[in-house]
Amino acid sequence: MWLSVNEKELKEFFEGLKKLVWNNEGPKPAEENRRSCPVEPEIRQVLLRYLNQDVEIGTEAGSVAGVLQAVGTDYVQLLEAGGSVVILSFTQINFVQSV
C-alpha cells in the first residue's frame, strides 16, 4: 500500500498533535521534571521537640491534651488521659504548647 502525503500538511499535523499533547508548552527538559526532596514542614520540627511529653494542641474545633506519642510525616498521634488515641493532621493544628 502506498500513501502520498504533502510534506507541509504532515508537518502541520504533527505540530498540532504536539500542541495537544503538551498544552502549547512544548516538551519540558528532564531537569524541570525532577522534583526535589520536600523540605520537612516547620510544624513537624516543633512537634518533634515535644515527643513523649504532655502537650496541648489547639485546633479549629478546640484543644486536645495528652502525651504526644508519635509524629509522622503529616500527622501527630496523641494519647489523652482517658486512654483515647487522637490523630491530627498537621493542617488541623493551630498551636502546640507544653502542659
Side-chain angles (χ1 to χ4, degrees), residues 1-98:
M1 178 173 152
W2 290 93
L3 181 64
S4 177
V5 179
N6 180 325
E7 187 177 338
K8 182 180 176 185
E9 289 177 355
L10 187 61
K11 283 183 181 180
E12 288 175 4
F13 171 78
F14 282 110
E15 285 297 317
L17 188 59
K18 183 173 87 173
K19 287 179 183 178
L20 283 173
V21 172
W22 286 303
N23 295 326
N24 293 326
E25 297 174 5
K28 295 185 178 176
E31 196 63 35
E32 286 182 29
N33 289 334
R34 285 191 206 142
R35 292 184 179 203
S36 61
C37 182
V39 178
E40 242 183 4
E42 290 178 17
I43 186 72
R44 184 172 192 276
Q45 294 171 1
V46 171
L47 289 164
L48 284 170
R49 292 185 213 145
Y50 294 103
L51 195 57
N52 300 317
Q53 296 180 26
D54 285 321
V55 295
E56 178 184 6
I57 297 177
T59 69
E60 299 269 333
S63 295
V64 183
V67 177
L68 185 62
Q69 288 186 317
V71 178
T73 55
D74 62 350
Y75 72 94
V76 294
Q77 180 176 316
L78 198 70
L79 178 63
E80 292 181 308
S84 298
V85 174
V86 179
I87 297 176
L88 297 169
S89 169
F90 288 167
T91 59
Q92 297 174 301
I93 298 173
N94 293 336
F95 70 87
V96 61
Q97 64 184 15
S98 183

